[in-house]
Amino acid sequence: MKLKIVKYPEPVLSQPGEPVTEFDAELATLAEDMFETMYAAQGIGLAAPQVAVSKRLTVIDLSMGKDPEQKLVLVNPEVILREGRQYEEEGCLSFPEIREKVVRAANVRVRAQDLKGNWFEMDGEELLARAFQHEIDHLDGMLFVFRMSALKRDMVLRKIRKMQREGTW
Ligand SMILES: [Zn+2]
């Protein structure tokens, strides 16, 4: 089932998600619904707070649905290692049409649980490292605009306010 993606400044986006404690069918269904929602919106990552569920769960698929092996579900994830630096453009499904460069670590290692509650570790570089950091930020209530330079952030927030006034946001 496709879910509704909430946009900034919906308060749920700024709240830290609750740790997941029940690894049940409901959680698996939520993850599947999040994949469906993300593919429909042509995104590569989606965090539960973006569908108004304040839980530490995110899905990522760099292949955008083309390669089932790239489907990643991260439950209660954390970044446990960061290396290097990259400065690339990012977007966010909660900020339609906004794309700006954000500083991120070049390589990261994440530790997370799967849908059954088993812990695993995974390394990511380049785009996958960015997706890990962007999505895990969402679970901490941190949005990518607040990772931009102050100048760019102000520009983006002004643009959003203008669109809100015009009824196009
Ligand atoms: Zn996002």
Side-chain angles (χ1 to χ4, degrees), residues 50 91-93 134-135 138:
Q50 293 182 276
C92 179
L93 294 176
H134 181 113
E135 301 310 328
H138 270 299

Side-chain angles (χ1 to χ4, degrees), residues 53-110:
V53 176
S54 196
K55 280 189 185 168
R56 301 188 73 82
L57 163 70
T58 179
V59 300
I60 292 172
D61 182 354
L62 300 190
S63 81
M64 294 172 93
K66 293 186 189 76
D67 176 6
E69 299 210 335
Q70 294 197 43
K71 282 177 79 171
L72 298 175
V73 178
L74 306 180
V75 183
N76 299 324
E78 50 184 327
V79 177
I80 56 171
L81 218 99
R82 296 166 200 270
E83 266 176 15
R85 179 185 184 273
Q86 56 174 327
Y87 184 53
E88 299 292 336
E89 215 169 63
E90 283 181 22
C92 179
L93 294 176
S94 296
F95 291 80
E97 289 170 48
I98 306 286
R99 295 195 64 85
E100 285 294 344
K101 285 190 163 190
V102 179
V103 175
R104 300 283 187 189
N107 304 291
V108 298
R109 177 169 296 163
V110 299

Side-chain angles (χ1 to χ4, degrees), residues 31-57:
E32 252 336 289
D33 289 347
M34 285 170 60
F35 276 115
E36 190 181 334
T37 305
M38 178 176 81
Y39 294 146
Q42 296 189 300
I44 59 166
L46 185 68
Q50 293 182 276
V51 292
V53 176
S54 196
K55 280 189 185 168
R56 301 188 73 82
L57 163 70

